[in-house]
Amino acid sequence: MKQRFPMRDQRLHVLADRGEPGAQFNLGIVYDSRTDANGLPVEGNRAEAMIWLLRAARQGLSRAQIRLAEMYAEAPATADHNVKAAFWFRVASGNSVGAYRQAAQSGYDEAIARMTPRQVATVDRGVQGWAPQREAAPMPAADPPKTPQPAAAK
């Protein structure tokens, strides 16, 4: 399999690094897709995909919240994965409309079916205290200090 990111994806990385949630979501999808732009198989990186999706999800992007929840739900069944899946599905259902809200609600219902009442209560408490957090934009490089100008002769 060939490597994932040619030069064309550098702009996406730059935008994602700057905290742009749409770019973070797209980068997460690219890392998880396991195919290139031509549909040829390439090496995927699920862990990297989840990092980028989590960054976008924390900023309130419902598409990222749903995809992240789906990835937790698809992972080997553990209590931690079920709780994380349910949490993100529940958050997304509150931020989505139409088919996206329906998908999030359905995913939430499936996730909590595998959980204890205590785990469901943990998710409920987490969702009540959750609010999107915008990433701080990176600080631009400081301008170099200005060189003093000689005083004008009188």
Side-chain angles (χ1 to χ4, degrees):
M1 287 204 197
K2 63 183 180 178
Q3 200 55 15
R4 163 65 56 186
F5 286 105
M7 297 296 281
R8 68 179 165 76
D9 294 316
Q10 285 183 349
R11 183 163 188 260
L12 188 57
H13 269 279
V14 168
L15 291 172
D17 283 333
R18 287 184 184 159
E20 164 49 46
Q24 292 169 340
F25 170 77
N26 289 334
L27 196 53
I29 295 301
V30 168
Y31 271 114
D32 190 45
S33 71
R34 296 182 188 90
T35 59
D36 67 8
N38 298 316
L40 301 172
V42 293
E43 194 173 311
N45 188 336
R46 199 158 183 93
E48 189 72 16
M50 291 181 88
I51 289 168
W52 288 109
L53 290 170
L54 179 60
R55 286 180 66 180
R58 285 180 175 162
Q59 293 190 75
L61 189 66
S62 60
R63 295 176 299 161
Q65 293 164 348
I66 292 170
R67 184 62 196 129
L68 183 62
E70 289 169 345
M71 290 176 76
Y72 280 123
E74 294 165 359
T78 66
D80 187 49
H81 286 160
N82 290 335
V83 168
K84 288 177 180 179
F87 173 81
W88 285 113
F89 277 131
R90 178 95 183 274
V91 168
S93 69
N95 296 332
S96 304
V97 294
Y100 289 110
R101 173 177 255 155
Q102 214 170 13
Q105 186 60 51
S106 176
Y108 174 75
D109 292 342
E110 289 176 27
I112 65 168
R114 299 183 298 268
M115 294 167 50
T116 66
R118 176 179 246 154
Q119 291 170 322
V120 174
T122 299
V123 169
D124 290 343
R125 281 190 306 275
V127 170
Q128 287 174 355
W130 187 85
Q133 300 290 316
R134 290 289 297 170
E135 288 185 9
M139 297 297 290
D143 290 332
K146 294 186 180 188
T147 17
Q149 299 295 320
K154 291 187 179 182

